[in-house]
Amino acid sequence: MVSPHHSPPAVRIAVRPDAGLAAAVLAVAGVGTALLGYGCVASAAPGYWWALLLWLGILAGAWRAWQGLPRGVLQWDGAAWDWQAAGSAAVNNLNSVAPSALSIAFDVQFGLGMLVTISGKRYFFCCMRSHNLAHWGDVRRAVYSSALAVVTP
């Protein structure tokens, strides 16, 4: 159990896909499409057309996955987490998150990856310092205190 005199303050964590990740994905998609398109025009080989169609199918799947990423606000009140979804059909209308159901997937100082269990289903949330700049230290303390809390008998 987290010591009461060291418990982190209440925080609101904006959860949304990062714009830098979107730019990188769009750059790869654009370069790949341009190269395959050039191959289709420059070569009469039917393999390029199949590769282009496969690539466009992969891009469509990536777009659908991007649209399904969770967006909303994860709130810590000092004792429990609460999720308020915004615009993501995958996690709408779910709001109860047990503190023990949050684990840290990665921590790169400017971003946190968290696995959060909501109603028995696990979601990956990415929280970036640029999304929560004013209270980044409080966000990190809340995530670590709840993810690493030890239950005492």
Side-chain angles (χ1 to χ4, degrees):
M1 186 157 169
V2 177
S3 174
H5 64 288
H6 291 313
S7 61
V11 293
R12 294 173 49 92
I13 302 173
V15 177
R16 63 180 184 255
D18 187 52
L21 177 61
V25 168
L26 284 174
V28 168
V31 168
T33 304
L35 289 174
L36 283 171
Y38 175 76
C40 289
V41 172
S43 172
Y48 278 104
W49 290 105
W50 286 111
L52 181 61
L53 287 175
L54 177 63
W55 178 251
L56 292 175
I58 291 170
L59 292 180
W63 174 253
R64 287 184 54 99
W66 180 265
Q67 293 300 313
L69 289 174
R71 292 164 175 83
V73 176
L74 191 61
Q75 296 181 58
W76 170 255
D77 65 5
W81 289 101
D82 184 53
W83 170 248
Q84 294 178 343
S88 177
V91 290
N92 274 342
N93 302 321
L94 303 174
N95 57 12
S96 181
V97 180
S100 62
L102 184 143
S103 61
I104 300 163
F106 68 84
D107 178 358
V108 290
Q109 298 301 317
F110 60 85
L112 283 170
M114 300 170 281
L115 293 171
V116 181
T117 304
I118 302 173
S119 299
K121 190 169 179 187
R122 292 195 88 172
Y123 296 97
F124 177 77
F125 289 175
C126 186
C127 175
M128 304 301 287
R129 180 178 18 203
S130 60
H131 299 170
N132 305 284
L133 192 55
H135 304 288
W136 183 244
D138 293 340
V139 167
R140 289 175 51 84
R141 281 189 288 281
V143 169
Y144 271 94
S145 70
S146 65
L148 302 177
V150 177
V151 178
T152 56

